[in-house]
Amino acid sequence: MVAEKPPMALVLGLESSCDETAVALVDNDGNIIAHHLATQEILHRPYGGVVPEIAARAHVERLEPLIRKVLDESGKNLSDVDAIAATAGPGLIGGVMVGLVTGKALSLACNKPLIAINHLEGHALTPRLADQSLSFPYLLLLISGGHCQILLVKNVGEYRRLATTIDDAGGEAFDKTAKILGLGFPGGPAVEQEALKGDPTAVPLPRPLVRSKEPHFSFAGLKTAVLRAHQSGLYKREDIAASFQQAVIDCLVNRSEKALRKIESENTAINAFVIAGGMAANQAIRPALTALAEAHNLPFVTPAPWLCTDNGAMIAWAGIERFRLGMIDTLDSPARARWPLDPHAEKARGAGVKA
Ligand code: KG4
Ligand code: ZN
């Protein structure tokens, strides 16, 4: 019997949780009808990092024109849209409030349901936008600027966190390394470019936690080691960048391997090993993790780089996933600075603030 095709749905997605203002219109089949993004790089560059107040103000100015642009370009108006999806957290609270309140206003004005999206769920489900054959459950390495987690993605809204970072996120480590090396902002792509010129074996750097039993991450010690290597004056900048990137890759592979073994030992069947989040855009990280998936006889899935870093399509797509399951929200949905995907996850030993 041929499965019945779900009815067509069109969702407008709004993203404003960090320094990208982004809007997209996505349909049920995973077609990105239109998308636009306004980056705030220039505004934050003088400070070497995202300034929350500046980010929130920029979202206020940019969001409405981007919505207009996306609708105009797609030849649609708000009455054609089935739901409004807006990031409701986690993130910089000022920016989250701008996007969420805009989503609520559109929902109210057009009488369309609001879907309050967890930004991390946006990253977690985007691989299913990129690869429509990807089905639950899958093991996800979520590596972004604020989070570094390994999650069993069981279904929409159902996550089991196997690992998290006990200090910095991986993307944060890239950003701090870029700052130490004077490579500017944003750090991830800058370190990746610098690393292309360097020798990944030139600088001895630690691989934190690689011997620990649980598959958690730690990057704070690595960042300190990068600082020491730089201050020693013994190494070339490109060699430090390449050695740092290699250390991160080794940690990601080692920790993911640990999580895969854990899942296998529990006889939990999974359909793929998946990576998502801004750091997954890194072209050196991808091959190492592809090889790991292959070694475990699993398909490797990752979205195109632009869908790994923050964008509107990931929020619209998470909206589609929720809308077709009838998961809509009320207009009193809160904006949340913290919002773990697995609220029941045990605290990692030594863990500070990362949810
Ligand atoms: O997912 P994302 O766009 O925003 C958050 O939700 O945090 O991730 C941004 C993070 C930043 O720390 C950035 O430096 C990192 O992802 N990143 C990269 C690359 N592109 C972005 N890290 C390493 N290599 C890259 N090519
Ligand atoms: Zn993100």
Side-chain angles (χ1 to χ4, degrees), residues 177-191:
T177 293
K179 213 168 178 174
I180 292 167
L181 299 180
L183 291 169
F185 175 86
V191 172

Side-chain angles (χ1 to χ4, degrees), residues 162-163 209-216 254-255 257-259 261-262 349:
L162 283 101
L209 290 190
V210 290
R211 271 174 212 88
S212 88
K213 207 167 123 265
E214 295 299 321
H216 295 306
N254 173 284
R255 308 288 66 208
E257 162 99 82
K258 193 105 201 160
R261 288 231 179 109
K262 188 168 178 165
R349 194 173 52 84

Side-chain angles (χ1 to χ4, degrees), residues 148-312:
C148 190
Q149 305 189 346
I150 302 176
L151 297 147
L152 181 63
V153 183
K154 295 192 259 188
N155 210 333
V156 178
E158 281 181 48
Y159 301 89
R160 176 180 154 206
R161 197 195 74 190
L162 283 101
T164 187
T165 175
I166 63 167
D167 41 55
D168 294 349
E172 209 173 343
F174 266 91
D175 294 332
K176 288 177 177 170
T177 293
K179 213 168 178 174
I180 292 167
L181 299 180
L183 291 169
F185 175 86
V191 172
E192 182 180 358
Q193 283 311 307
E194 189 70 14
L196 287 175
K197 299 180 268 168
D199 172 3
T201 64
V203 187
L205 293 173
R207 271 65 175 155
L209 290 190
V210 290
R211 271 174 212 88
S212 88
K213 207 167 123 265
E214 295 299 321
H216 295 306
F217 298 91
S218 167
F219 292 108
L222 182 55
K223 173 199 66 191
T224 309
V226 164
L227 180 63
R228 291 222 182 90
H230 177 64
Q231 287 172 338
S232 75
L234 294 172
Y235 305 105
K236 288 191 278 188
R237 186 163 83 164
E238 59 267 32
D239 288 343
I240 300 177
S243 301
F244 160 78
Q245 185 170 267
Q246 189 57 50
V248 172
I249 292 171
D250 290 348
C251 292
L252 295 178
V253 170
N254 173 284
R255 308 288 66 208
S256 301
E257 162 99 82
K258 193 105 201 160
L260 282 165
R261 288 231 179 109
K262 188 168 178 165
I263 289 291
E264 284 160 6
S265 72
E266 294 171 357
N267 291 321
T268 305
I270 50 171
N271 293 316
F273 177 62
V274 175
I275 66 166
M279 230 170 93
N282 183 296
Q283 295 302 309
I285 287 174
R286 289 173 171 233
L289 292 162
T290 308
L292 176 69
E294 273 168 12
H296 286 261
N297 292 318
L298 288 167
F300 177 74
V301 179
T302 187
W306 80 270
L307 283 169
C308 287
T309 47
D310 290 351
N311 63 85

Side-chain angles (χ1 to χ4, degrees), residues 57-68:
R57 286 168 188 265
H59 290 306
V60 170
E61 291 165 14
R62 292 158 186 220
L63 192 52
E64 195 274 339
L66 282 188
I67 295 170
R68 209 169 279 276

Side-chain angles (χ1 to χ4, degrees), residues 27-46:
D27 77 13
N28 208 21
D29 289 333
N31 296 307
I32 301 168
I33 316 288
H35 69 94
H36 277 285
L37 182 148
T39 176
Q40 302 178 8
E41 275 170 30
I42 291 174
L43 299 180
H44 301 291
R45 190 166 290 146

